[in-house]
Amino acid sequence: MVDIRVRFAPSPTGDLHIGGVRTALFNWLFAKNKNGKFILRIENTDELRSTEASTNVILDIMNWLKLNWDEGPGNELSKYAPYYQMERRDKGIYQTYVDKLINSGFAYRCYCSIKEVDEMRKNAQNNKLSPRYDGRCKNLTLIQIKQKEAEGKKAVIRFKMSNVGITVLNDLIRGRVEFDNSLLGDFVIMKSNGTPTYNFACVVDDYLMEITHVLRGDDHISNTPRQIQIYDALGWRIPEFAHLSMILGHDGTRLSKRYGHTSVLEYRKEGYLQETLLNYIALLGWSTENSQQIFTIEELIENFSIERCGVSPSTFDPAKLLWLNGEKIRSKNPDQVYELFVDWLKYTNNEKLIEEWDVNLLKKAIILEHDKIKILKDIPSLVGFFFKKDIEYNEKAVQKVLLSDKSKNIAKLVLVESALRLLNQQDFSSSALEQYARELALEKGLKTGQVFHPIRVAISGKTQGPSLFHMMELMGQNEVIRRINIAINKFFKK
């Protein structure tokens, strides 16, 4: 049995999005399920676009999602380190294997300019051929090489692809995939400044880091035959490949920022839970036999297998993600929701929002609105009115419930009576308050809604919210009466 070793190897050229996190998650789940190792490697050879800020974002996302890596930045093993490709370049790791390929005839120096290569591709397209490099530097003599170098030309290194037959990929998800070698063409494996290209660097790194399985998005399938031929040229064992299906937006095109946040951290800012993101993203291209939808992290680890990954594209559904987050929040007890909310406030630098809020009251208010919380961001709007001395009245609610021609006199009667009678209400429990309101309606010949609605708007400023009588009980007798009197003075004493 081979010890399982997988890697997530993002390029720090922008924000980490849903597709990237799906790749990280599936590798992490596979490693955990097989008691293997999960390696994080930063592929930062794109010198123009790679930034330290993007690297930090990747690390922040991985840490927030708790996709802890066994090896990688901050957790390096000397046998495989370093885990940043540019550091590996500086150690001469890639140059060593470029030299081997050149010496064995599998690679060569190419002095063609970018303009010349573009012209080759255009000519090929005009002749209805595959647009590729035509191999003109493949057989340069030593004299020709010296002449070009004397002219000051810089060489890239190209890998000499086989141009006959086929290259076969035995994909763990897609099965046998064949590539016509005549369509592939020789490709650059090292730039003129000594920086390796993606297809070469990842092969060298995967081999030296003893990666056994490569799980990645299907956009990499076209890279695979080139990588397989490099493995073969160097006499190395080829890892198992599994290419994950693409993720689509609602219009059937590949997922883009139009259908979700550019960075996964934006979901954190909105108040989504870490476990929700992992649960939902796991369902994008993977399923169980019984089509289970809600998982704990432990259940994901236990159930995950490459065999259950599908070939068909999956569709990212923001509504389902929102629903799932609500389900996850409802599975928490109020203390847990409170702690998650506080963590969210810290992350979004909004701690001052609840600086003067009573913690016990907040926890009880969360209980009242528990079923309505879909994202942590909802909590202030759902319970904030409990903590405001100055009531924020919804204009439509006031006009409809308190001030319309049909409701004005009744609302005034209900509020004036309630302000007086509730002073003497001995039992201020929700059940006793409901009994009081129903008796007032019966006494005055009103429908219960004609009593309930004015009181709700008077004490909360809106027509929707928690159960009215539980809300009144939680506010307390003095506060309820204070708010009713404010409404009377504001709307009926003009």
Side-chain angles (χ1 to χ4, degrees):
M1 291 293 292
V2 177
D3 291 334
I4 300 295
R5 289 176 60 82
V6 296
R7 49 73 165 177
F8 175 52
S11 297
T13 55
D15 293 315
L16 191 58
H17 51 79
I18 291 293
V21 171
R22 198 265 303 265
T23 298
L25 174 61
F26 280 24
N27 276 281
W28 185 83
L29 290 173
F30 181 69
K32 294 296 181 183
N33 178 271
K34 301 294 185 182
N35 292 316
K37 299 295 184 183
F38 174 65
I39 292 92
L40 176 63
R41 184 174 74 226
I42 304 299
E43 298 194 337
N44 58 342
T45 53
D46 188 336
E47 296 171 277
L48 293 177
R49 298 169 60 219
S50 295
T51 66
E52 185 177 352
S54 290
T55 299
N56 291 335
V57 168
I58 290 170
L59 299 179
D60 286 346
I61 290 173
M62 296 291 285
N63 283 318
W64 174 56
L65 293 175
K66 299 180 182 177
L67 296 177
N68 50 299
W69 51 95
D70 299 294
E71 300 169 26
N75 189 22
E76 302 196 358
L77 294 184
S78 57
K79 180 179 179 181
Y80 303 110
Y83 293 87
Y84 289 85
Q85 283 188 332
M86 289 302 283
E87 292 180 23
R88 298 174 68 78
R89 183 203 69 170
D90 294 343
K91 285 180 173 290
I93 292 173
Y94 305 114
Q95 188 63 52
T96 297
Y97 296 101
V98 162
D99 292 343
K100 283 189 176 183
L101 290 173
I102 292 174
N103 293 335
S104 59
F106 283 104
Y108 58 93
R109 293 174 177 82
C110 171
Y111 295 89
C112 295
S113 67
I114 294 176
K115 183 179 179 181
E116 288 174 318
V117 174
D118 285 341
E119 288 176 355
M120 292 177 209
R121 290 171 175 162
K122 287 178 183 177
N123 290 335
Q125 286 178 320
N126 291 336
N127 293 315
K128 297 182 179 180
L129 300 173
S130 176
R132 59 175 188 161
Y133 178 70
D134 65 10
R136 66 181 62 177
C137 288
K138 188 182 297 187
N139 298 307
L140 292 178
T141 64
L142 286 175
I143 293 175
Q144 289 173 316
I145 290 174
K146 288 181 179 179
Q147 181 179 350
K148 289 182 180 296
E149 290 182 350
E151 294 170 358
K153 291 185 176 181
K154 299 290 185 181
V156 298
I157 308 301
R158 286 187 182 273
F159 182 78
K160 190 184 297 182
M161 290 285 286
S162 171
N163 57 11
V164 296
I166 60 173
T167 298
V168 176
L169 162 65
N170 291 307
D171 193 275
L172 295 176
I173 296 174
R174 297 162 189 279
R176 181 182 174 92
V177 183
E178 297 182 353
F179 302 89
D180 184 344
N181 290 338
S182 66
L183 301 177
L184 298 176
D186 299 349
F187 62 98
V188 176
I189 58 175
M190 183 169 280
K191 302 174 189 176
S192 59
N193 65 357
T195 299
T197 60
Y198 165 75
N199 277 316
F200 182 62
C202 77
V203 168
V204 173
D205 291 341
D206 286 346
Y207 173 75
L208 295 179
M209 292 182 180
E210 300 182 28
I211 300 301
T212 60
H213 295 73
V214 175
L215 281 66
R216 58 189 181 185
D218 63 359
D219 53 324
H220 284 289
I221 288 180
S222 61
N223 293 319
T224 311
R226 296 176 174 86
Q227 294 171 11
I228 287 174
Q229 289 204 28
I230 292 174
Y231 278 108
D232 287 340
L234 290 167
W236 291 346
R237 178 189 58 78
I238 300 172
E240 299 278 4
F241 286 99
H243 289 90
L244 309 172
S245 62
M246 71 175 67
I247 305 173
L248 304 178
H250 285 302
D251 66 349
T253 61
R254 188 177 287 275
L255 184 67
S256 70
K257 63 183 179 182
R258 288 177 296 161
Y259 300 100
H261 297 301
T262 303
S263 170
V264 170
L265 287 180
E266 291 299 317
Y267 290 99
R268 186 180 184 185
K269 291 177 184 176
E270 288 292 306
Y272 284 88
L273 307 188
Q274 162 261 354
E275 61 192 87
T276 299
L277 263 294
L278 295 184
N279 187 159
Y280 181 70
I281 291 172
L283 301 176
L284 298 175
W286 171 82
S287 64
T288 57
E289 290 184 7
N290 62 357
S291 298
Q292 182 177 340
Q293 297 294 297
I294 301 178
F295 295 84
T296 63
I297 300 302
E298 291 72 25
E299 287 172 332
L300 286 174
I301 292 172
E302 181 181 353
N303 286 281
F304 185 81
S305 69
I306 294 178
E307 291 74 21
R308 294 297 305 175
C309 293
V311 176
S312 299
S314 52
T315 301
F316 180 79
D317 184 355
K320 184 174 180 180
L321 175 63
L322 185 62
W323 164 81
L324 182 59
N325 204 63
E327 292 294 311
K328 292 287 186 179
I329 288 176
R330 281 187 284 279
S331 73
K332 309 291 182 186
N333 64 47
D335 283 337
Q336 290 173 319
V337 177
Y338 169 76
E339 293 299 332
L340 289 167
F341 178 53
V342 171
D343 287 342
W344 175 79
L345 289 171
K346 290 178 181 177
Y347 178 72
T348 56
N349 295 316
N350 282 309
E351 293 173 273
K352 288 185 178 180
L353 180 66
I354 65 168
E355 219 169 31
E356 298 179 2
W357 290 13
D358 180 88
V359 172
N360 290 327
L361 177 59
L362 174 55
K363 289 182 178 180
K364 290 176 182 178
I366 287 174
I367 293 173
L368 289 186
E369 291 290 67
H370 198 169
D371 289 346
K372 295 179 184 176
I373 302 171
K374 293 181 180 178
I375 51 178
L376 298 173
K377 189 177 180 179
D378 291 338
I379 294 176
S381 62
L382 289 171
V383 306
F385 67 90
F386 278 105
F387 307 95
K388 295 177 179 177
K389 293 299 181 183
D390 297 323
I391 306 166
E392 296 178 359
Y393 294 98
N394 179 278
E395 186 176 344
K396 289 183 179 180
V398 169
Q399 292 300 324
K400 179 180 178 180
V401 177
L402 301 183
L403 298 181
S404 71
D405 292 339
K406 185 177 179 180
S407 65
K408 186 171 184 178
N409 291 333
I410 295 173
K412 180 178 180 180
L413 170 65
V414 168
L415 295 182
V416 170
E417 288 291 330
S418 294
L420 292 172
R421 297 188 187 195
L422 290 176
L423 281 170
N424 300 314
Q425 181 75 20
Q426 297 298 313
D427 184 351
F428 217 74
S429 66
S430 59
S431 57
L433 290 168
E434 182 175 359
Q435 182 181 348
Y436 153 76
R438 291 186 181 280
E439 288 178 353
L440 179 60
L442 185 63
E443 177 187 326
K444 301 298 182 181
L446 302 173
K447 296 178 181 179
T448 54
Q450 291 175 300
V451 175
F452 295 178
H453 297 325
I455 295 175
R456 175 182 290 280
V457 173
I459 66 175
S460 71
K462 50 190 180 179
T463 56
Q464 296 180 331
S467 160
L468 173 61
F469 305 109
H470 287 93
M471 178 169 65
M472 293 173 69
E473 178 184 346
L474 186 54
M475 281 186 180
Q477 189 170 18
N478 292 338
E479 183 65 10
V480 167
I481 294 170
R482 184 185 78 84
R483 291 183 178 219
I484 290 175
N485 280 320
I486 288 174
I488 292 171
N489 291 326
K490 184 176 181 66
F491 300 112
F492 301 111
K493 288 188 176 182
K494 293 184 179 179

